[in-house]
């Protein structure tokens, strides 16, 4: 048996196709699994995903990855990240150009 609260229609979620599924709360947090194959997540303050020893958190301040690593186009972007073609010295490389 499933119980659905329908006492306040103004708080019910709209804009879903008949085969979409959604989970939401009064604070504005929302997860929609679209029948067309997409998943939408809206969080009022943060989104955290934990898989094994990796925790990925998004807030309005930025993105934090604790554990694991990040690859962009096959290149690791972490504390093991290095650049070639530079001359050692006391200076720093310039900011990325793209």
């Amino acid at each position: 048996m499933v119980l659905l609260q329908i006492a306040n229609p103004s708080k019910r979620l709209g804009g879903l196709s008949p085969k979409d599924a959604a989970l939401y709360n009064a604070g504005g947090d929302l997860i929609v699994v679209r029948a067309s194959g997409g998943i939408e997540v809206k969080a009022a303050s943060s989104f955290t995903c934990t898989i094994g020893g990796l925790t990925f958190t998004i807030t309005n301040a930025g993105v934090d990855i604790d554990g694991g690593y990040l690859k962009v186009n096959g290149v690791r972007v972490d504390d093991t990240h290095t650049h070639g073609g530079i001359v050692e010295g006391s200076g720093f490389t310039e900011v990325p150009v793209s």
Side-chain angles (χ1 to χ4, degrees):
M1 177 180 283
V2 176
L3 176 65
L4 300 175
Q5 181 180 357
I6 58 172
N8 188 351
S10 68
K11 296 294 183 185
R12 293 172 63 194
L13 184 63
L16 299 175
S17 78
K19 295 183 179 181
D20 290 343
L23 174 67
Y24 65 100
N25 65 18
D29 300 316
L30 167 71
I31 300 172
V32 178
V33 180
R34 298 281 181 192
S36 60
I39 298 175
E40 301 169 23
V41 177
K42 178 182 175 188
S45 61
S46 68
F47 172 80
T48 300
C49 179
T50 301
I51 302 170
L54 173 78
T55 300
F56 178 83
T57 302
I58 303 172
T59 68
N60 62 354
V63 177
D64 289 314
I65 300 173
D66 185 21
Y69 57 86
L70 172 67
K71 277 189 179 180
V72 177
N73 294 325
V75 177
R76 283 181 70 141
V77 183
D78 59 11
D79 55 0
T80 65
H81 180 90
T82 60
H83 292 256
I86 59 171
V87 177
E88 288 191 41
S90 60
F92 294 95
T93 61
E94 295 179 355
V95 296
V97 291
S98 60

